[in-house]
């Protein structure tokens, strides 16, 4: 379809060129030939070109359309050569161009068929006009030997152009197919590499030698909170100064950054050189790990360890307090039984006993709380 579009555009340019040239030549040389038939043929060619452009939109048989267009071009071009002087026409050079167009738009037999058809049409018109079967538009008498030499020369020229155009067109088609296959393989490889990068849990950023961001995988977008489109082509020092600072402490460091959404994250960044297959430097690779949750859990674990140590120390202290407390309570009890106490003394002894018991209950509850919890789970009927 693109080849036919290109053929239609070239045809319009050639038609316009031929019309202008013929009118200029007719005016400069004061030709006695009437311009009417030539202009009518040009108008017919314009009309067919418009019809071909419309047909291209509604008929998807592009090979058949190529044959139809080139066949009509050969016929009309033969008419133009005939009307512009036959063997003396300076439009004969357009036949090789028509054969070249056939080599580009038609399969391999096409250029040879068009070359043969052009030779038959051109030779037939020249022979018929020479022998007076049809009117001759030549302004000079044509020698038969010159006519036959011109026809044979055109035959070999058409066939040579057909061979060359066919060979070059086949080479271009093979090259195009190889290029398409290579391009497809390259696209598949790029898609595979992108899938690999997007499947990595760690964020990956690559920069070139100028420090501009070239690549950012999906995990990196999630960590940084912004897509590749907002970073591509920007210098890393300007876009992500926290990440870029990891270059100052190779192989990496932990950095604190804030996403555009306002979330604070702790990110571990590792920097590695990006090298080509021959060992040349291409830039740097930054591998990022989101350590925010890990740091939170680490802080909670540290707090739990601290609380556990505090609980163990508090339990030991409680035991140490409980032992003298028991001795005090026992001594007061013996003291209250053994001696004659006044009312005030008995009241004080009772206060010591009650407060000792209360302190003992408090220590017992504290020891119970400081011990490690053990749970037993079982199903229960909440309705009951």
């Amino acid at each position: 379809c693109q080849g036919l579009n290109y053929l239609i555009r070239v045809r319009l340019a050639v038609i316009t060129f031929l019309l202008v040239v013929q009118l200029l030549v007719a005016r400069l040389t004061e030709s006695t030939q009437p311009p009417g038939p030539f202009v009518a043929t040009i108008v017919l060619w314009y009309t067919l070109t418009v019809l071909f452009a419309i047909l291209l939109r509604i008929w998807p048989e592009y090979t058949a359309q190529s044959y139809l267009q080139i066949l009509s071009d050969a016929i009309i071009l033969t008419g133009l050569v005939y009307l512009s002087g036959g063997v003396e026409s300076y439009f004969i050079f357009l036949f090789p161009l028509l054969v070249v167009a056939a080599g580009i738009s038609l399969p391999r037999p096409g250029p040879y068929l068009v070359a043969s058809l052009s030779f038959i049409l051109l030779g037939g018109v020249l022979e018929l006009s020479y022998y007076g079967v049809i009117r001759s538009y030549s302004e000079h008498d044509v020698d038969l030997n010159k006519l036959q030499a011109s026809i044979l020369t055109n035959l070999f020229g058409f066939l040579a152009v057909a061979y060359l155009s066919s060979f070059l067109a086949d080479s271009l088609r093979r090259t195009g197919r190889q290029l398409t296959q290579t391009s497809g393989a390259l696209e598949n490889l790029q898609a595979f590499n992108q899938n690999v990068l997007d499947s990595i849990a760690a964020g990956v950023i690559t920069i070139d030698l100028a420090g501009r961001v070239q690549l950012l995988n999906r995990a990196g977008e999630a960590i940084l909170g912004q897509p590749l489109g907002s970073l591509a082509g920007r210098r890393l020092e300007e876009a992500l100064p926290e990440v870029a600072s990891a270059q100052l402490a190779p192989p990496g460091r932990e950095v604190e950054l804030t996403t555009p959404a306002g979330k604070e994250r702790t990110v571990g960044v590792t920097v590695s050189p990006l090298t080509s297959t021959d060992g040349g430097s291409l830039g740097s690779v930054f591998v990022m790990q989101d350590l925010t949750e890990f740091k939170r859990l680490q802080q909670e674990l540290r707090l739990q360890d601290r609380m556990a140590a505090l609980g163990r120390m508090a339990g030991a202290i409680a035991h140490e307090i409980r032992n003298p407390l028991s001795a005090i309570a026992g001594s007061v009890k013996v003291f209250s039984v053994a001696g004659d106490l006044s009312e005030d003394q008995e009241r004080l002894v009772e206060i010591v006993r009650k407060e000792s018991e209360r302190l003992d209950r408090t220590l017992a509850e504290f020891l119970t709380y400081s011990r490690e919890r053990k749970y037993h789970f079982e199903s229960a009927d909440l309705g009951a």
Side-chain angles (χ1 to χ4, degrees):
C1 182
Q2 292 182 351
L4 289 176
N5 275 322
Y6 179 74
L7 183 61
I8 289 173
R9 295 191 186 99
V10 172
R11 184 184 298 112
L12 288 173
V14 170
I15 293 172
T16 305
F17 171 76
L18 294 181
L19 179 60
V20 172
V21 168
Q22 180 64 20
L23 294 178
L24 289 176
V25 170
R27 178 180 294 274
L28 295 175
T29 60
E30 298 181 357
S31 175
T32 58
Q33 302 294 344
F38 186 90
V39 174
T41 305
I42 291 292
V43 172
L44 174 62
W45 209 0
Y46 266 122
T47 305
L48 288 176
T49 301
V50 174
L51 293 177
F52 289 148
I54 297 174
L55 188 63
L56 186 60
R57 302 293 185 271
I58 60 177
W59 189 28
E61 294 293 334
Y62 302 127
T63 302
Q65 289 195 57
S66 298
Y67 277 108
L68 179 61
Q69 292 190 31
I70 292 177
L71 175 62
S72 64
D73 290 340
I75 295 173
I76 291 180
L77 186 56
T78 303
L80 292 177
V81 170
Y82 166 67
L83 294 173
S84 59
V87 72
E88 298 176 350
S89 175
Y90 36 81
F91 295 145
I92 295 180
F93 79 95
L94 292 175
F95 279 104
L97 296 181
L98 184 63
V99 176
V100 171
I104 295 174
S105 59
L106 296 176
R108 191 171 184 82
Y112 296 99
L113 294 177
V114 173
S116 302
L117 177 63
S118 300
F119 166 72
I120 293 172
L121 292 174
L122 180 62
V125 167
L126 295 180
E127 292 284 350
L128 292 175
S129 61
Y130 176 79
Y131 288 108
V133 177
I134 58 177
R135 177 185 173 182
S136 175
Y137 284 88
S138 177
E139 297 183 357
H140 305 89
D141 294 333
V142 179
D143 182 68
L144 180 60
N145 293 329
K146 179 180 178 181
L147 177 63
Q148 292 175 345
S150 175
I151 293 175
L152 290 177
T153 302
N154 288 323
L155 171 62
F156 288 112
F158 294 168
L159 293 178
V161 171
Y163 172 76
L164 292 175
S165 63
S166 178
F167 176 77
L168 293 176
D170 287 343
S171 299
L172 289 175
R173 291 189 186 99
R174 286 195 300 270
T175 304
R177 286 193 295 267
Q178 292 175 357
L179 183 61
T180 302
Q181 293 173 357
T182 304
S183 176
L186 181 59
E187 291 177 357
N188 292 335
L189 181 59
Q190 289 176 339
F192 176 76
N193 290 336
Q194 188 63 44
N195 290 334
V196 171
L197 286 173
D198 288 338
S199 300
I200 296 176
V204 178
I205 300 179
T206 62
I207 62 173
D208 59 15
L209 294 175
R212 292 185 293 268
V213 176
Q214 300 294 315
L215 182 144
L216 175 65
N217 68 343
R218 192 175 301 164
E221 292 179 346
I223 292 173
L224 300 176
Q226 49 187 319
L228 174 61
S230 64
L231 299 174
R234 298 175 59 188
R235 289 181 57 82
L236 189 65
E237 290 81 359
E238 300 173 356
L240 300 169
E242 301 89 351
V243 177
S245 65
Q247 291 179 298
L248 303 177
R253 65 191 303 180
E254 292 182 5
V255 299
E256 302 288 338
L257 58 84
T258 304
T259 67
K263 295 182 179 180
E264 295 184 355
R265 287 198 170 99
T266 302
V267 180
V269 183
T270 303
V271 186
S272 302
L274 179 63
T275 57
S276 60
T277 54
D278 57 1
S281 178
L282 298 177
S284 300
V285 179
F286 293 75
V287 180
M288 302 178 296
Q289 291 283 352
D290 189 355
L291 304 178
T292 307
E293 185 66 15
F294 172 75
K295 288 294 183 181
R296 186 186 67 81
L297 295 175
Q298 191 179 45
Q299 185 176 3
E300 288 184 0
L301 182 60
R302 190 179 297 113
L303 180 61
Q304 289 176 2
D305 290 341
R306 190 175 303 163
M307 293 299 293
L310 182 61
R312 290 192 297 270
M313 183 182 67
I317 294 174
H319 277 293
E320 293 299 324
I321 295 175
R322 202 174 192 184
N323 290 334
L325 182 63
S326 298
I328 293 172
S331 299
V332 170
K333 186 176 181 180
V334 171
F335 178 74
S336 62
V337 174
D340 296 331
L341 302 176
S342 64
E343 183 179 351
D344 291 338
Q345 290 174 336
E346 287 181 354
R347 184 169 55 83
L348 293 174
V349 169
E350 184 64 20
I351 290 174
V352 171
R353 184 184 64 79
K354 288 183 179 180
E355 292 301 321
S356 297
E357 291 177 354
R358 187 168 70 88
L359 184 57
D360 184 68
R361 287 194 302 271
T362 301
L363 290 173
E365 292 174 357
F366 182 79
L367 290 172
T368 301
Y369 175 78
S370 63
R371 292 191 188 99
E372 184 180 357
R373 297 290 197 279
K374 292 185 179 180
Y375 301 98
H376 174 69
F377 297 96
E378 63 181 13
S379 301
D381 186 358
L382 294 181

